[in-house]
Amino acid sequence: MTDTSMTPPAPGIRTFDYGSDEAQARVKRRYQTEARFKLYGLLAVLFAGAFVFILLADIVRKGMPAFFEHRVVLTLDLDASLIDPTGRREIDALRNGDYNKIVMDAWRANFPEVTQRAERRRLEALVSSGAADDLRAAVIRDPALIGQKIRFPILLSDDADLHFKGLSSRISSAPGTGALDVKINGREVELSGSGQPFAAILADVKAGLMQDAERIGAELARLPASQQGGNNAALDARRIELAQRVAELRRRAGDVGSAETIDFSSMPSRIVRAEGASIRLQEIGASSAKGFLLVAPQREISRIDSWTVATFATPESNRKASDADIAWLETLNGRGAIEKAFSTRFFTSGDSREPELAGIRGALIGSALTLLVTLMVCLPLGVGAAVYLEEFAPKNRFTDILEVNINNLAAVPSIVFGLLGLAMFLNFFGLPRSAPLVGGLVLALLVLPTIIIASRAALKAVPPSIKEAALGVGASHQQAIFHHVLPLAMPGIMTGTIIGMAHALGETAPLLMIGMVAFIVDIPQAITDPGTVLPVQIYLWSDLPEVAFQAKTAGAILVLLGFLFVMNGAAILLRRRFERRW
Amino acid sequence: MTSLYYALMIALALGAYFLVRSRAAALAGGQTLHSRPNYHGLLAAAQVIIPMILIHFVGSVLSARFVEYQSLVAMDPALLTDELRRGAAFREIREFASGRGAANATQALQAGAAMYAYLAALTNWAVLGLGLAVGIAMSLFSLRSISGEFRARNRFEHVVRYLLMACATVAVITTIGIVFSVLFETFRFFQKVSPVDFLFGTHWSPQTAIRADQVGSSGSFGMVPLLVGTLLISSIAIFVAGPIGLFAAIYMAEYASPKFRAWAKPILEILAGIPTVVLGFFAALTVAPLIREVGTSLGLSVASESALAAGLVMGIMIVPFVSSLSDDVITAVPQSLRDGSYGMGATRSETIKKVVLPAALPGIVSAFMLAISRAVGETMIVVMAAGLAANLSFNPLDAVTTFTVQIKTILVGDQEFDSAKTLAAFALGFVLFFFTLTLNVIALAIVRKYREQYD
């Protein structure tokens, strides 16, 4: 050794000076690469974590409104002649009472000024069509209420509910300056005052017009250029139209002090509120304005000293709730008649076309029935198969095929299992469509590989000494396995089963194939009744156009995730608690 | 009827079990038994249950066919050859027989329904009677066979062994079922549409008109646009999931402290456990509008159901899949290889890039293939976030459609079972099954071939 180190380097072998600047720089570079590489890894993990967080936060934000509903508390006159004309208090008679009239009379009494047909219909549409059913249920529960006047919460429609959940339009409110003279002629109102009380509002309107002009100007700039020799007639016409609109808007915006007429299809609405009245401004000048009386004042007024003006940022034609709707609802809210409550309905009622009445009970029961079938089928089959493959199977060709087959089955797309269910269970065996029975069978086949693999791992983890000891004292092979090995493997098997069940609970695609997507209001009572399951319900709701169903969808997702969380948590707990390391 | 049958079966089995067990126990007082009384009882119960289940299963399948045939004959013999009307007619018969049918039923329908009601009751009672008779006979047989030398335990264990084998065979039967149900319908599809048109046609519009003389009555079934759409979305997914999953796996396996692992692993598991319908909702309502907004502000035209949104979310869906499989293979690389590399003065990242990853490459490749197969077969995300229009486009901002979306679209709702359109869904299913199966087999083969290299 000493010899080699003493000899000078042989020709052809390069020597390095590790202290040189060049080498130091290289080392530095290598360490930078190292740090960068590590950072990439960390970023990848953090990205996945951030996605989970954003996803959950987004769904919680969208889904929380689904758990609450808004109701208006009204004093109802439970007139015996409407509910039970015979006076005998028979259930059938009570069922047929005209509860809708009671509810609607009490509701309309809030706004006596609404007499025109179309307007009245709008007003009535703010109350849910299920409100009368609630009253019916309450009366049947307690017939002694008949003839009394009771305070009763009436469910609002989805549009009204969305308004209170802040999902319809942004509303900003500002106090008005100066006193106003009010002239009311039917529903037409003229407001005027000294000292230009509307100047600020008018300036705001003009600023809005300027913004519109800029927006349309940007659209104009984005239009493609005319092509030489091409047919540009439509394009040119559009360009001219937009340019004219921009010029017109700029002119109006620049003409300070001139009166403006509000176009409710493109401009924010402004509502003056005073003395319980709501007036929608239609023509705004600096010192006077004309408007429409949406809600009548509590008493006769000719002059108001303090007033507020509310601005609804979204133009009326771009939202479901009209200005009148919002004015009615806000008036009631001001009177303290609106209450927000936890929506038990979401958990206790079945599906419905009306968003405010729709609930997940049917889907929950359907999921429970489906999972029950899945569990009953795949637990015995899975454990049996695992025991056979692990303990009894001879090592031959057939067993090899079985093993490869199970591994491949685990990776078959779930929708293909749906095709199997459709072709086999529905068309060949003639089992009922949309039934939890078929859904359960399909899901059982789907999660069978998972359970077999998990059970085999659990059986393998039991040390052979246990079995050998049992065989040594004279147990038969099967006695050794069923009396000793299997009980010890049970926690592992259960963990695998719960994870498989969680997988089955979240599965959607194969169930679409076997018709569990029908709109079903009734709650399934048996495994052969038509039903749906929670993930399919989520899919169905997500497809509906009503905004209110979006919240319902996210709410149902939260419930589903809650169940999955509990199941996976149970699996982890079971593993920690009972799994033994040998 | 079914519940009555099974209630009787359980009652008979319990009766046989207790009766035989007590007889055997009584016998045990006088002589030594080969098997304990319990096994005599268990064998008796099994001898009742197994034949009765078989009888019920075979009996109901056979009798259902028989009843359908006879009641259709009673209604109108011409129905038997008319595949299309046959199913509808039989449904009508059943509806009418159960009392929910229309009041203005035709004479023929009434005759069919009467025949149906009569034969259904008759066959039900026949199956019940037969099952009961066999059950009782088997109980009596078990009672008679009790004796000291009777090897009840060995026999019972024999039965159990076969039952366990049957359980294991279910997995194979499932595969065979999938292959046959899909293959059979695909074969019928190819009788209507030529395989060349299907495999290489570039136009997909399965809407067949109701009347033969309408425009577009033939429908066209070229699967190339679907294949391109599927591959486009899957490649976006793998471009997202590949780097993120692999880097996450490297970090978790090589760098992360045990404490960090204890936090990060569950998060990846949560991601893996989120149902795809939830991810689809997120893709359709949050990611897609976001991409559209960003694209529009950059002056691009983005379809509201762009392939990019579906692909991105699908990529994130398969991140945990890639990372956990890669994590396993990276951890499986023997420590001695790393130590050798460190001994040469390599940094950690150099060791990973030059030694660990090449050693783990077969496993990582197979993980990627499994991930692709998962992405290709994924349904809900694309159903909710990708489009329906079969555009032949490679632009990720366009709306494209996939195999799974088309299968779902065709098969959800009312279908006439014999149309080319319905059968096309099965043909697509077959392509999907074949594609994913091939990927899997290759992935498993790669792992198997290179597994023992470093052991």
Side-chain angles (χ1 to χ4, degrees):
Chain A
M1 287 305 269
T2 345
D3 284 349
T4 41
S5 63
M6 294 294 281
T7 49
I13 294 180
R14 289 182 295 165
T15 55
F16 288 107
D17 178 5
Y18 293 104
S20 75
D21 286 350
E22 192 196 346
Q24 285 297 324
R26 197 160 50 226
V27 169
K28 203 172 158 198
R29 225 170 31 242
R30 285 174 63 207
Y31 277 114
Q32 276 169 355
T33 316
E34 166 75 23
R36 212 159 43 231
F37 190 77
K38 191 173 166 182
L39 184 68
Y40 291 154
L42 185 61
L43 284 180
V45 179
L46 291 182
F47 178 83
F51 179 83
V52 172
F53 181 76
I54 292 171
L55 174 78
L56 293 181
D58 184 54
I59 287 176
V60 169
R61 189 178 63 81
K62 285 202 178 107
M64 283 322 277
F67 298 107
F68 297 95
E69 63 187 18
H70 285 88
R71 304 188 284 224
V72 54
V73 182
L74 296 179
T75 305
L76 301 181
D77 181 9
L78 298 184
D79 187 350
S81 68
L82 282 173
I83 299 173
D84 189 17
T86 60
R88 280 194 295 239
R89 303 287 186 266
E90 283 162 350
I91 291 287
D92 279 345
L94 291 184
R95 256 187 237 292
N96 292 327
D98 193 355
Y99 299 94
N100 202 41
K101 183 167 163 37
I102 296 175
V103 171
M104 281 307 163
D105 284 348
W107 172 241
R108 279 197 302 262
N110 286 304
F111 303 103
E113 70 275 15
V114 176
T115 47
Q116 200 206 337
R117 239 180 108 119
E119 202 184 4
R120 213 171 75 182
R121 208 169 293 151
R122 274 218 79 103
L123 179 63
E124 285 172 3
L126 287 179
V127 168
S128 168
S129 57
D133 296 331
D134 288 353
L135 181 62
R136 174 179 300 132
V139 168
I140 288 174
R141 217 180 305 127
D142 182 11
L145 293 173
I146 297 172
Q148 295 182 19
K149 283 190 184 223
I150 56 166
R151 306 266 299 156
F152 193 80
I154 301 291
L155 186 67
L156 289 172
S157 76
D158 56 325
D159 290 338
D161 193 46
L162 284 178
H163 168 71
F164 285 117
K165 282 167 180 167
L167 295 168
S168 66
S169 167
R170 200 156 41 77
I171 297 176
S172 51
S173 200
T177 49
L180 294 176
D181 286 321
V182 184
K183 245 186 274 172
I184 299 179
N185 176 21
R187 305 288 292 277
E188 305 289 329
V189 185
E190 263 181 64
L191 300 167
S192 56
S194 55
Q196 303 203 330
F198 297 109
I201 301 172
L202 189 60
D204 197 30
V205 171
K206 303 239 177 219
L209 291 177
M210 199 64 206
Q211 276 175 12
D212 285 352
E214 273 161 26
R215 192 170 44 75
I216 296 172
E219 196 183 327
L220 183 63
R222 273 205 303 274
L223 280 184
S226 296
Q227 277 161 6
Q228 210 80 87
N231 184 8
N232 296 313
L235 201 61
D236 289 341
R238 173 95 181 126
R239 187 171 290 128
I240 292 165
E241 185 205 329
L242 287 183
Q244 278 173 351
R245 271 171 60 192
V246 171
E248 167 70 13
L249 284 171
R250 279 183 200 281
R251 188 190 58 71
R252 278 167 66 185
D255 191 0
V256 182
S258 70
E260 284 293 339
T261 306
I262 306 286
D263 173 9
F264 294 107
S265 66
S266 64
M267 292 161 73
S269 309
R270 287 174 173 79
I271 311 282
V272 168
R273 289 184 191 144
E275 305 279 347
S278 292
I279 301 150
R280 178 163 84 160
L281 299 181
Q282 282 164 335
E283 275 177 57
I284 307 176
S287 55
S288 70
K290 281 184 190 158
F292 182 79
L293 192 65
L294 293 174
V295 178
Q298 306 287 60
R299 57 187 173 81
E300 287 283 308
I301 48 172
S302 59
R303 190 179 167 79
I304 44 180
D305 296 321
S306 72
W307 49 285
T308 57
V309 58
T311 309
F312 302 166
T314 319
E316 185 179 27
S317 56
N318 292 356
R319 51 183 142 89
K320 296 284 285 278
S322 70
D323 290 341
D325 291 346
I326 296 178
W328 289 323
L329 292 171
E330 285 300 316
T331 304
L332 284 174
N333 201 13
R335 291 179 198 163
I338 304 287
E339 66 170 27
K340 180 185 184 183
F342 183 75
S343 173
T344 47
R345 197 184 308 268
F346 186 61
F347 297 96
T348 55
S349 65
D351 198 4
S352 167
R353 288 276 180 244
E354 301 296 329
E356 73 276 9
L357 296 177
I360 54 171
R361 170 110 183 269
L364 280 180
I365 304 279
S367 268
L369 291 173
T370 307
L371 280 195
L372 188 73
V373 174
T374 306
L375 187 66
M376 299 300 278
V377 173
C378 80
L379 186 59
L381 279 182
V383 174
V387 168
Y388 180 76
L389 290 174
E390 209 48 50
E391 302 287 350
F392 296 109
K395 292 279 164 264
N396 62 18
R397 194 82 190 240
F398 178 69
T399 323
D400 277 354
I401 292 177
L402 264 179
E403 301 222 4
V404 172
N405 179 54
I406 288 169
N407 284 332
N408 280 323
L409 207 56
V412 169
S414 61
I415 195 169
V416 174
F417 282 93
L419 291 177
L420 170 77
L422 177 63
M424 278 291 182
F425 295 135
L426 295 189
N427 289 333
F428 187 72
F429 289 121
L431 294 175
R433 245 178 112 78
S434 314
L437 172 66
V438 182
L441 286 175
V442 170
L443 291 181
L445 296 182
L446 183 68
V447 297
L448 192 59
T450 316
I451 292 186
I452 294 178
I453 292 168
S455 305
R456 286 188 70 177
L459 286 168
K460 214 177 259 173
V462 177
S465 56
I466 305 262
K467 190 168 90 182
E468 282 153 14
L471 293 176
V473 292
S476 75
H477 191 183
Q478 284 198 6
Q479 283 169 337
I481 287 158
F482 286 110
H483 297 177
H484 301 284
V485 178
L486 196 57
L488 288 170
M490 226 44 203
I493 293 175
M494 280 301 142
T495 310
T497 309
I498 293 175
I499 288 170
M501 286 297 120
H503 179 186
L505 176 61
E507 196 57 68
T508 321
L511 302 180
L512 300 182
M513 300 290 99
I514 54 162
M516 291 188 90
V517 280
F519 170 68
I520 294 158
V521 178
D522 296 331
I523 288 153
Q525 307 290 332
I527 55 171
T528 47
D529 286 352
T532 189
V533 296
L534 203 45
V536 176
Q537 185 74 75
I538 289 169
Y539 166 67
L540 284 172
W541 278 352
S542 76
D543 237 18
L544 295 174
E546 285 95 340
V547 186
F549 270 120
Q550 217 188 78
K552 293 271 169 186
T553 313
I557 288 178
L558 284 179
V559 174
L560 176 65
L561 289 180
F563 274 109
L564 291 177
F565 189 74
V566 169
M567 286 170 88
N568 284 312
I572 292 170
L573 217 66
L574 205 65
R575 185 157 51 192
R576 291 241 174 100
R577 196 76 201 265
F578 294 105
E579 205 162 68
R580 269 205 259 177
R581 295 253 163 260
W582 303 91
Chain B
M1 209 55 173
T2 308
S3 38
L4 174 68
Y5 187 91
Y6 282 98
L8 281 173
M9 181 189 86
I10 289 168
L12 256 180
L14 283 178
Y17 172 74
F18 284 112
L19 196 63
V20 170
R21 194 179 70 165
S22 64
R23 279 288 186 83
L27 208 59
Q31 61 184 110
T32 32
L33 292 176
H34 167 270
S35 305
R36 303 189 56 196
N38 200 25
Y39 278 102
H40 287 271
L42 284 173
L43 182 64
Q47 280 175 341
V48 170
I49 289 174
I50 294 170
M52 281 188 76
I53 288 181
L54 281 180
I55 286 174
H56 184 252
F57 189 72
V58 174
S60 19
V61 170
L62 287 184
S63 66
R65 304 257 133 174
F66 175 70
V67 171
E68 182 180 349
Y69 183 83
Q70 288 298 336
S71 51
L72 284 172
V73 166
M75 185 173 165
D76 179 5
L79 282 172
L80 289 175
T81 47
D82 191 345
E83 283 285 332
L84 272 180
R85 281 172 53 214
R86 187 183 169 144
F90 186 59
R91 248 197 309 277
E92 239 179 290
I93 290 178
R94 267 201 310 207
E95 284 283 301
F96 188 76
S98 63
R100 277 172 308 189
N104 56 346
T106 59
Q107 199 106 46
L109 179 59
Q110 285 181 2
M115 180 59 91
Y116 173 81
Y118 170 68
L119 282 180
L122 189 70
T123 50
N124 271 337
W125 284 111
V127 169
L128 183 72
L130 184 65
L132 218 54
V134 170
I136 292 170
M138 291 309 285
S139 315
L140 292 176
F141 173 72
S142 306
L143 267 180
R144 282 196 46 188
S145 57
I146 302 171
S147 71
E149 304 86 63
F150 185 59
R151 295 170 161 253
R153 180 175 60 76
N154 302 41
R155 290 218 174 186
F156 179 69
E157 290 187 346
H158 215 69
V159 171
V160 169
R161 216 183 138 106
Y162 276 106
L163 279 181
L164 292 178
M165 198 162 108
C167 289
T169 323
V170 168
V172 180
I173 295 175
T174 309
T175 313
I176 296 174
I178 288 175
V179 170
F180 268 86
S181 56
V182 176
L183 204 62
F184 185 63
E185 310 291 351
T186 307
F187 186 69
R188 293 210 298 171
F189 173 70
F190 284 146
Q191 288 175 336
K192 292 172 192 266
V193 176
S194 112
V196 177
D197 287 350
F198 177 66
L199 290 175
F200 303 110
T202 55
H203 186 62
W204 174 266
S205 76
Q207 280 319 337
T208 42
I210 297 162
R211 291 199 322 273
D213 55 338
Q214 272 175 322
V215 181
S217 61
S218 55
S220 49
F221 297 94
M223 65 161 224
V224 172
L226 310 190
L227 184 69
V228 169
T230 306
L231 292 182
L232 178 63
I233 291 181
S234 304
S235 7
I236 296 171
I238 205 74
F239 268 114
V240 172
I244 294 179
L246 190 55
F247 268 113
I250 290 170
Y251 189 81
M252 301 282 275
E254 299 283 334
Y255 289 106
S257 63
K259 217 168 155 188
F260 185 85
R261 268 183 87 100
W263 271 101
K265 260 234 131 88
I267 289 179
L268 285 173
E269 276 167 14
I270 289 177
L271 189 52
I274 292 176
T276 53
V277 67
V278 178
L279 293 172
F281 176 75
F282 184 69
L285 268 92
T286 307
V287 178
L290 193 74
I291 288 178
R292 198 174 147 77
E293 218 166 273
V294 171
T296 316
S297 71
L298 294 176
L300 298 167
S301 88
V302 183
S304 59
E305 298 181 315
S306 64
L308 190 59
L312 278 181
V313 174
M314 193 189 274
I316 290 166
M317 175 195 90
I318 53 178
V319 161
F321 201 69
V322 174
S323 81
S324 79
L325 287 175
S326 308
D327 193 340
D328 290 347
V329 287
I330 289 171
T331 330
V333 173
Q335 186 60 28
S336 57
L337 290 180
R338 289 188 190 87
D339 292 344
S341 174
Y342 295 148
M344 304 285 284
T347 63
R348 263 181 146 170
S349 64
E350 285 162 352
T351 306
I352 293 165
K353 281 186 271 191
K354 302 254 164 67
V355 178
V356 177
L357 286 186
L361 195 61
I364 291 172
V365 168
S366 92
F368 272 56
M369 294 184 82
L370 290 175
I372 294 173
S373 117
R374 170 90 27 135
V376 167
E378 166 50 36
T379 310
M380 289 323 289
I381 293 177
V382 280
V383 162
M384 293 167 85
L388 282 176
N391 299 325
L392 184 56
S393 165
F394 293 95
N395 180 356
L397 300 179
D398 279 350
V400 293
T401 190
T402 69
F403 288 128
T404 48
V405 172
Q406 289 304 319
I407 295 175
K408 177 255 153 196
T409 313
I410 291 173
L411 288 182
V412 167
D414 293 329
Q415 328 120 17
E416 27 176 344
F417 206 71
D418 255 23
S419 74
K421 184 183 162 194
T422 312
L423 294 175
F426 283 90
L428 290 178
F430 177 68
V431 174
L432 189 64
F433 178 68
F434 185 75
F435 193 73
T436 51
L437 191 70
T438 314
L439 276 176
N440 275 328
V441 170
I442 296 173
L444 292 181
I446 291 175
V447 173
R448 211 174 262 207
K449 185 161 161 103
Y450 294 98
R451 181 168 42 188
E452 283 166 289
Q453 206 165 352
Y454 292 102
D455 283 354

